Amino acid sequence: MGLKIQEKRVVRVTEEFVRNYFERESSGHDWWHIFRVRNLALKIAELEGGDLFLIEVAALLHDLDDWKLNKGSEESKIKKWLTSIGVSKEKTTEIIHIVGQVSFKGAGVETRATSIEAQIVQDADRLDAIGAIGIARTFAYGGNRGRLIYHPDSKPEMHSSFEEYKKTTAPTINHFYEKLLLLKDRMNTETAKKLAEKRHSFMEVFLKQFFDEWESKS
Ligand code: NI
């Protein structure tokens, strides 16, 4: 089997697997989030370069081992899956390495993506966390975790460790200040920086309107 055909097969079966896996996920990390991140990552890659196969597979699998969705699961599901469909050890390691660099771990916690592939998947995942879709996903996630929309006495916190960030039960509006509004300046690629601008300003407009309504000004 030629390499390209083999790669196409891996992408196709992985897509099917992930789609089934996340079909009923209601925390904003559903299949359509993965779908958008994959498409956005490939779009960024058109302009920025990188290995398209690694980018596509890593984007499809990027939430499979995520700490937010997996409580106490030690074994890498990504490794298990890629091994089961015959992906080489080297490629599997590369994909796991890319995915490992994607997740946001707190406002004051440095998560640097080193390869172009990791930078692109991280940018795509972060772009899907901001803008109109980001707002929708954030409230879906908050609701899924039983959080309030907003509480006037609860102020945003800049988490300096991943442990603190993981534990937070703060209202959803705080999340805009603790994460979402910071993402624009943490994009890796020029293409993503440009895409982030519009999404960022949309969130600012949303928050202004939210607080105007909260204070009966609007
Ligand atoms: Ni994600």
Side-chain angles (χ1 to χ4, degrees), residues 29 33 37 62-63 125 137:
H29 296 82
H33 160 63
V37 169
H62 85 273
D63 271 339
D125 192 35
R137 290 184 62 222

Side-chain angles (χ1 to χ4, degrees), residues 25-215:
E25 172 64 47
S26 62
S27 69
H29 296 82
D30 54 289
W31 156 248
W32 296 108
H33 160 63
I34 314 280
F35 173 89
R36 290 187 303 267
V37 169
R38 186 266 307 270
N39 292 353
L40 210 43
L42 291 176
K43 187 180 162 172
I44 297 170
E46 265 174 38
L47 297 155
E48 302 280 345
D51 181 317
L52 292 179
F53 170 70
L54 292 177
I55 290 171
E56 184 160 17
V57 177
L60 285 169
L61 293 170
H62 85 273
D63 271 339
L64 199 63
D65 284 331
D66 195 279
W67 61 270
K68 292 189 292 300
L69 312 170
N70 280 309
K71 292 269 152 59
S73 152
E74 293 295 321
E75 208 207 351
S76 165
K77 290 183 189 150
I78 298 177
K79 189 173 172 190
K80 207 172 147 193
W81 166 252
L82 293 175
T83 310
S84 79
I85 57 167
V87 174
S88 72
K89 241 189 168 154
E90 296 74 55
K91 294 277 177 207
T92 300
T93 309
E94 280 185 83
I95 291 163
I96 290 178
H97 190 69
I98 295 169
V99 172
Q101 296 189 335
V102 171
S103 201
F104 183 89
K105 298 184 175 77
V109 185
E110 186 74 52
T111 30
R112 197 178 289 283
T114 47
S115 64
I116 182 69
E117 288 81 13
Q119 289 180 348
I120 288 174
V121 179
Q122 189 181 62
D123 280 354
D125 192 35
R126 290 180 170 182
L127 283 167
D128 204 58
I130 61 178
I133 285 178
I135 294 171
R137 290 184 62 222
T138 304
F139 286 103
Y141 184 73
N144 178 276
R145 297 294 140 119
R147 296 187 189 166
L148 284 178
I149 290 174
Y150 175 61
H151 192 303
D153 296 338
S154 172
K155 299 288 168 240
E157 280 176 66
M158 293 300 131
H159 304 106
S160 57
S161 83
F162 182 39
E163 288 310 307
E164 276 178 52
Y165 176 68
K166 239 183 343 187
K167 277 198 315 238
T168 182
T169 55
T172 298
I173 285 287
N174 293 22
H175 194 61
F176 285 84
Y177 300 95
E178 291 165 356
K179 173 181 174 184
L180 307 186
L181 293 169
L182 309 175
L183 292 180
K184 173 177 75 74
D185 294 328
R186 295 189 186 196
M187 295 294 160
N188 303 295
T189 63
E190 288 309 311
T191 308
K193 281 177 194 163
K194 276 189 211 122
L195 289 169
E197 291 296 334
K198 194 169 175 187
R199 295 180 186 223
H200 183 87
S201 359
F202 187 79
M203 290 193 298
E204 287 181 325
V205 171
F206 168 78
L207 288 167
K208 166 134 193 355
Q209 178 70 16
F210 182 94
F211 287 111
D212 282 353
E213 290 177 19
W214 191 275
E215 289 158 20

